Each structure stands twice: as C-alpha cells, then as structure tokens.
Amino acid sequence: MPEDSVQYGEFMQRDRTIHPPAYTPQYKTSVLRSPQKSLIALQNSLSEITGPIFRSDELGPLDHDLIMNYAKDGLPIGERIVVHGCVYDENGRGVPNALVEVWQANAGGRYRHKKDSYIAPIDPNFGGCGRVLTDRDGHYVYRTIKPGPYPWRNSVNDWRPAHIHYGVSGSGWAQRLITQMYFEGDPLIASCPIVRTIPSEAAIRQLIAPLDKNAAIQLDSLAYRFDIVIRGSRATWFESTVSDDDSMQRE
Amino acid sequence: MVNQLSYFKESASQTAGPYVHIGLAPHAAGFDIFEKNFSNVLAGPDTKGERIRIEGRVIDGSGTPLRDVLLEIWQANAAGKYNHPADRQKKPIDETFRGWGRACSDFETGVWAFETVKPGVVTGRKGRPMAPHVNLWIVARGINIGLNTRMYFSDEEKANAADPVLNLIEWEVRRKTLIGKREERGGKIAYKFDIHLQGPEETVFFDV
C-alpha cells in the first residue's frame, strides 16, 4: 500500500508536445485508429485523481523474473540482463507501489502470441512477460533476456529496434501510461517509424536505457537502467475562484 | 538566465502494439504464466449493487471493429465511492470491490465486456454531483497514446442532463456518444457501448 506521506491531488496538465500525436501516417496503423476531433479538456475530479491500488500479494514470486517464470526444462536462450530504475512523478518524487508491467519478444525477436508468425522460433523456456511493484522509493527491478529486433509490415523493410513494452499505473487514473524501452546503441532506433511518432528528440532519448555496468551481476548478467516519469500532482495553495463553466468558450 | 524549473518531463507514450495481450492480459489470451490474473470481472459474489454487464466494440475509421484492443475501466462502487485513499466522501467503501478491470476484445468479433455493478453518483468539482459513470482507457496497435473516455447510463437521463462533464461538451449531439444503452437479456442487465475512433459518430475522448 502507498505510504501515508503520499499526497494525492489534481495532476499537472499533460504536456502533449512530448507525446506522439494520434495521427502519424508514417506509422500506417494509426491512420484509421486516430481520433480526428479535438480532445475535450477536463479538469480533474475524483474520477481522474483516484485509481486502482495494487497489492504485492496479487503478484507471484517469479513475476519479476522473466528468466525463470516460464522456464520448463532449461533456461531461455539469449543475453541475460537485469533492468532496473525508478518511477518518478513530474515533481521528481519516487512513486511508491506503482505497478510496472512489461512484455517483450524473445532473443530471436519472436513473441509468444498466436498472431506473431515471424520465422524466428518460440523459445520453449521463455514467456516474455513480467510485472513488479515499485518499492517505497519508487525503484523497480526485474531480470530477463534481451529481446531481439524484428521486421514488421509497415513499409516492406521496417524493423523494430529491440524494445520492452511497459505499462505503468501510479495512484491516479490520469497517470496511466504505456510506453516502450529501447537499448543504448541500437542502430535501428533512429529509423523506427514508431519511435519517430514522438515529436521531440529529448523525449526519444528519455526512452533509451543506458547500459548500467554497476548494476550488473558479476559473471552472470549485464544491466540496463530505465527511469520512467509519470504525471505529478500540481500545487493547489489557492483555490480557483472561477467557476468551471465560466470561461468555457472564451478564446 | 533565470532560475531553472526543476520539473521532470513525463515519459513519452508509445503504442501498446499488437501483442499487448501477452503483457497485460496473458490469461485472457490463452497464455498461462501468472498464478493470479487481472480480469474483466469487477464484482464478486458479495459486492453490493445492481449487477450489470458493459459490452461493446471499438470501431476504426473504416467501420471495422478492432480485434486487438485492450480496455480498462475504473469506477466508483454502488454507493458512489472510489476505493482509494484520496476519496474522502463520507460513503462506505465496499471491501469486495476495487472498481478496476481489464478486458481484451474477442480475437474474432472484436466484442469486449466487463461484469460489474452500476456505480453511484460521485461528487465532482465544486461539490457538483457527477452522474453515474465508468471511466475507460483504451490502448491498441495504432493508438499512440491511450484514449480516455467515460460511459454514462441511458437510464439516468435526469442525472446525465445535469452532469458537469457532459455539459462541458459544447456540441450536444456529441454527448450521446458517451451514453451506454441499457438492454435486458433474460433477466440480466447489459449496457451496450460502441466506441468510434473516427467518423460522424466519433466518441468524445478527454484530455484528463
């Protein structure tokens, strides 16, 4: 459960300039799936400030160990890595008890999913998903196999850089975020149409995890560090005296 | 130079991709890896309130239902209280009801569903009551950042007419895109709620 010291409140407005717009024709699937009308701006109510709280007893002991959580008769093939980092809010505070869910392809770039028909084989000892709750400082860690890059049909020769998908859930509904982690030095990042949906170079760099040799397990696994930032509460020292409906159509 | 603000920047969103199910709903996708699984069933046998099913499809700009979409809902209990420490309304928490669920669309038909209870009225900003509603969050391949919307209930006409969020939508004709339609099926209550990503019936999505 979150610490008593956690302060709940309305979130700062989302900075949409760092996020991909809905319509990004270079990523073709977005064309028919992007809303065309403007989002309606909503000031936070309890519906957005609150959100599901997860408990550690809902997770199993191997949920954060992708090397072992699907191992059947041996270990999965590929580079053994530890991935760790902190979930921060925009105020720079670690977010305790955030649910971090990850999923990925195996070392050959193949997902254990019935819709994935890539020629690289399924690894009988690798599932490719895990989850972990952050500790009181917002830190999380899991270990896995480094995923491989893979081709996908967007243009005929588009390749996804190696990546791990993340779902992050903080204490409030409005903080919910899905993103992807990339690996330092991957030459495919620069040309990936999905990466390129992000309009800001700084925001792209924020999704690239550096090698963190200090966190490696000696003679066993390398490590990468991936910090994530989700939305933070805004200051509410004074309450607005303007009614919410008042200035609705003032431009 | 001026003082530098020290806020952190939110991490950029990326699409959930075509394989979101193995990560967020492996069990529903027929993949047994976790002992305990999150599900689309929110209400337990002892949960208070009217049992309802919320069911729908997410439809793209060609009229085709998405068959690879994942949805989450977040809602108050039957008394209109969120199971969360920030909700300080003087109403009872229902210990059997977290108020959160996750569903994948059917891989063939695109239909998704939640089994839950109908939420009560929650007090909104400036003390104004919000009509009963569930909050939805939609992610899929081709959706670059999760979409937030709400479903209200067709049998709550009076409360809906006074709802501060519905009234914020300038175009009255668009408000009906947020109303789930009540149906009775063999004594069971279902609300039908199709979400349109584009077109003349495009659902209202919120920047929360």
Side-chain angles (χ1 to χ4, degrees):
Chain A
M1 288 298 287
E3 306 293 310
D4 291 340
S5 61
V6 173
Q7 285 173 9
Y8 303 107
E10 294 181 30
F11 294 100
M12 293 184 234
Q13 182 184 312
R14 183 166 246 163
D15 179 357
R16 295 254 165 197
T17 65
I18 58 178
H19 291 290
Y23 176 75
T24 49
Q26 79 277 20
Y27 171 29
K28 295 179 181 177
T29 314
S30 75
V31 172
L32 284 174
R33 295 182 170 201
S34 41
Q36 294 166 327
K37 297 181 168 61
S38 296
L39 302 178
I40 304 287
L42 206 60
Q43 288 174 288
N44 286 181
S45 70
L46 277 180
S47 297
E48 291 76 34
I49 295 165
T50 61
I53 306 274
F54 298 95
R55 302 182 315 269
S56 54
D57 66 7
E58 293 180 272
L59 274 50
L62 290 179
D63 285 6
H64 71 304
D65 188 349
L66 286 73
I67 290 181
M68 297 306 296
N69 71 11
Y70 206 75
K72 302 293 179 198
D73 51 7
L75 292 171
I77 289 169
E79 290 178 45
R80 297 162 62 86
I81 59 170
V82 169
V83 182
H84 79 118
C86 278
V87 177
Y88 294 111
D89 68 21
E90 291 167 289
N91 294 302
R93 297 192 194 105
V95 180
N97 202 64
L99 178 66
V100 176
E101 298 172 281
V102 295
W103 68 100
Q104 62 167 92
N106 67 24
R110 173 81 182 261
Y111 285 88
R112 183 176 284 278
H113 190 288
K114 53 186 155 192
K115 298 275 180 194
D116 188 357
S117 54
Y118 181 41
I119 190 169
I122 293 277
D123 183 333
N125 295 306
F126 190 70
C129 64
R131 52 194 187 174
V132 57
L133 285 167
T134 57
D135 67 17
R136 55 189 306 159
D137 302 315
H139 188 258
Y140 73 91
V141 58
Y142 62 92
R143 66 172 181 171
T144 187
I145 295 295
K146 191 176 177 189
Y150 57 85
W152 61 301
R153 190 174 282 275
N154 185 57
S155 295
V156 293
N157 195 24
D158 278 331
W159 291 73
R160 291 306 322 278
H163 62 278
I164 299 178
H165 295 268
Y166 274 69
V168 186
S169 189
S171 63
W173 185 244
Q175 290 175 302
R176 203 83 181 70
L177 180 72
I178 281 201
T179 188
Q180 300 181 26
M181 174 193 120
Y182 303 99
F183 292 85
E184 175 183 12
D186 188 336
L188 292 168
I189 294 171
S191 61
C192 173
I194 289 177
V195 173
R196 306 308 320 172
T197 60
I198 301 172
S200 141
E201 287 300 323
I204 292 173
R205 282 196 301 275
Q206 199 175 322
L207 298 186
I208 303 173
L211 181 71
D212 181 5
K213 249 181 108 183
N214 290 327
I217 308 169
Q218 293 176 4
L219 307 176
D220 181 320
S221 301
L222 272 173
Y224 287 84
R225 167 131 193 160
F226 188 55
D227 291 336
I228 302 159
V229 181
I230 60 175
R231 293 171 68 189
S233 324
R234 67 183 185 85
T236 47
W237 297 300
F238 298 99
E239 204 174 333
S240 169
T241 51
V242 180
S243 119
D244 286 354
D245 301 333
D246 253 7
S247 47
M248 178 173 134
Q249 286 166 47
R250 202 180 290 160
E251 288 183 0
Chain B
M1 280 293 275
V2 297
N3 246 237
Q4 294 299 296
L5 292 171
S6 58
Y7 296 113
F8 285 21
K9 291 272 191 196
E10 190 184 9
S11 300
S13 172
Q14 291 271 261
T15 178
Y19 309 121
V20 57
H21 325 95
I22 68 163
L24 299 186
H27 186 67
F31 169 32
D32 264 317
I33 183 160
F34 299 137
E35 222 174 285
K36 296 176 184 172
N37 290 279
F38 301 132
S39 93
N40 63 334
V41 179
L42 286 76
D46 299 325
T47 303
K48 295 187 185 71
E50 183 185 18
R51 289 287 189 290
I52 62 168
R53 178 182 173 88
I54 299 173
E55 183 186 288
R57 298 169 301 166
V58 179
I59 296 162
D60 76 11
S62 77
T64 308
L66 272 57
R67 291 172 298 179
D68 51 13
V69 67
L70 182 124
L71 300 94
E72 293 184 0
I73 62 172
W74 170 240
Q75 65 167 96
N77 67 20
K81 171 94 172 172
Y82 284 106
N83 192 343
H84 190 281
D87 185 340
R88 300 197 177 89
Q89 300 177 94
K90 289 190 175 48
K91 296 173 179 174
I93 282 185
D94 184 338
E95 294 298 344
T96 69
F97 189 70
R98 170 154 59 193
W100 175 81
R102 182 183 272 173
C104 318
S105 54
D106 183 272
F107 289 111
E108 304 301 325
T109 64
V111 173
W112 50 265
F114 293 95
E115 303 290 343
T116 183
V117 293
K118 193 174 165 193
V121 170
V122 173
T123 303
R125 295 174 64 81
K126 313 268 180 190
R128 289 177 63 182
M130 294 190 285
H133 65 277
V134 302
N135 306 285
L136 291 104
W137 183 70
I138 301 145
V139 294
R141 179 171 72 99
I143 294 178
N144 288 327
I145 180 164
L147 298 170
N148 286 95
T149 187
R150 290 184 174 196
M151 189 199 91
Y152 288 82
F153 296 84
S154 64
D155 53 321
E156 295 283 348
E157 267 181 60
K158 216 177 132 195
N160 292 343
D163 181 80
V165 170
L166 286 173
N167 279 295
L168 204 58
I169 302 165
E170 186 181 338
W171 308 273
E172 273 185 60
V173 59
R174 299 201 65 206
R175 295 177 192 165
K176 67 172 193 293
T177 67
L178 301 186
I179 312 291
K181 226 169 130 195
R182 185 177 175 106
E183 294 175 358
E184 282 195 41
R185 296 184 203 157
K188 293 194 168 171
I189 303 299
Y191 288 86
K192 279 285 285 287
F193 188 60
D194 280 345
I195 295 165
H196 294 265
L197 298 177
Q198 296 180 351
E201 294 176 276
E202 183 177 314
T203 300
V204 169
F205 298 105
F206 294 107
D207 187 4
V208 301

